[in-house]
Amino acid sequence: MNYLQLVQRAGLEVGASGSITDVSAATGEFLRITNWINQAWLELQMEHNDWLFMRKSATFSTIAGDGDYDITAAPISIADFSGDYVTNSFRLYDNIGDEQYLIQMDYDSFRDQWLFGSNRTSQSRPQFIAVAPDKKLLLAQLPDKVYTVVFDYFSVPTLMTVANNSVPTGLPDRFHMALVYKVMEWYASYENAPEVATRGSMYYSFQLDSLRQNQLPPVIIEAGFI
């Protein structure tokens, strides 16, 4: 559903009076519903920082002699970075045929090994990567020429543009009703309508559980010995 359809469906579910044909011109009761739909979308994105529908891929070219890269600045320049990388998603190649995974190290181990003595300036094909406390990417050894780095990250939560055809980007269609059910909860609180609150809460919980099963990374349990 697009923004207008979401607002119309929410209006139907709560029994709002009147109708709406343009979210940018909403007034009164439908203005509240329009705002609530967008807020519900924002809060749904904030439920988890690793929703699969918020995972994106990126590439950048290294600079010879430079092992320190700010994701928000050139040569990466990503504007929607949430602050979370996908662990162990980093790869590097000179040409596609020699692509290899970069070994991801924790920052302290990287600092002790590669930001020390002559290792600070040693140049070769990078094999290791770390995420600094300020979220910069650190490569070691320093690139001796231009390479391509590929990685995945999670995007920052965003609001929909207030336009009829805007959509909750990335959210599978079958889960769009979660936004409507959340609005029902808020509407019920505003209007003191407990029967609407009950329906909204029940169906929202069901949708959220289903969404988590579908859009969160699988939990991997490693076998151990007692």
Side-chain angles (χ1 to χ4, degrees):
M1 287 185 281
N2 61 30
Y3 201 164
L4 177 60
Q5 291 167 335
L6 287 165
V7 172
Q8 290 173 333
R9 182 60 183 270
L12 177 65
E13 293 292 338
V14 303
S17 59
S19 61
I20 182 171
T21 58
D22 186 352
V23 294
S24 66
T27 60
E29 193 168 36
F30 273 103
L31 178 58
R32 290 196 297 273
I33 293 174
T34 297
N35 291 336
W36 283 336
I37 283 288
N38 223 353
Q39 186 64 29
W41 169 229
L42 183 66
E43 294 192 10
L44 181 64
Q45 295 170 84
M46 295 170 64
E47 281 277 351
H48 297 279
N49 62 1
D50 57 350
W51 287 122
L52 295 180
F53 65 82
M54 297 179 70
R55 177 171 173 166
K56 296 184 178 181
S57 296
T59 64
F60 71 94
S61 297
T62 65
I63 299 170
D66 187 355
D68 185 324
Y69 298 87
D70 184 340
I71 193 171
T72 63
I76 309 179
S77 302
I78 291 176
D80 64 349
F81 178 55
S82 68
D84 294 301
Y85 297 96
V86 177
T87 303
N88 296 323
S89 68
F90 300 96
R91 308 170 186 181
L92 178 143
Y93 61 85
D94 182 12
N95 58 74
I96 291 295
D98 67 4
E99 184 172 4
Q100 294 179 327
Y101 285 99
L102 287 166
I103 300 171
Q104 189 167 342
M105 301 176 65
D106 67 86
Y107 174 72
D108 287 334
S109 297
F110 185 95
R111 180 176 181 272
D112 289 345
Q113 179 173 349
W114 295 107
L115 302 182
F116 187 87
S118 60
N119 280 347
R120 291 178 181 271
T121 57
S122 177
Q123 295 187 25
S124 185
R125 176 180 173 131
Q127 299 182 61
F128 302 92
I129 194 166
V131 178
D134 60 2
K135 301 299 183 178
K136 288 182 180 179
L137 294 176
L138 307 178
L139 290 172
Q141 295 167 290
L142 302 183
D144 58 342
K145 61 179 182 179
V146 175
Y147 296 92
T148 300
V149 176
V150 181
F151 66 96
D152 283 7
Y153 70 97
F154 292 102
S155 60
V156 67
T158 58
L159 290 168
M160 287 183 285
T161 302
V162 183
N164 289 344
N165 291 328
S166 294
V167 295
T169 303
L171 183 66
D173 290 350
R174 64 186 181 278
F175 299 115
H176 285 191
M177 281 297 293
L179 308 183
V180 173
Y181 297 138
K182 176 55 70 174
V183 169
M184 290 170 65
E185 292 183 347
W186 292 336
Y187 179 94
S189 176
Y190 187 89
E191 295 288 350
N192 191 24
E195 71 285 354
V196 176
T198 299
R199 285 194 298 119
S201 179
M202 178 178 65
Y203 289 122
Y204 181 75
S205 294
F206 175 78
Q207 282 267 298
L208 187 58
D209 287 344
S210 297
L211 181 61
R212 285 170 173 158
Q213 293 176 32
N214 183 263
Q215 289 291 312
L216 286 179
V219 176
I220 300 175
I221 301 176
E222 296 184 359
F225 297 93
I226 299 177

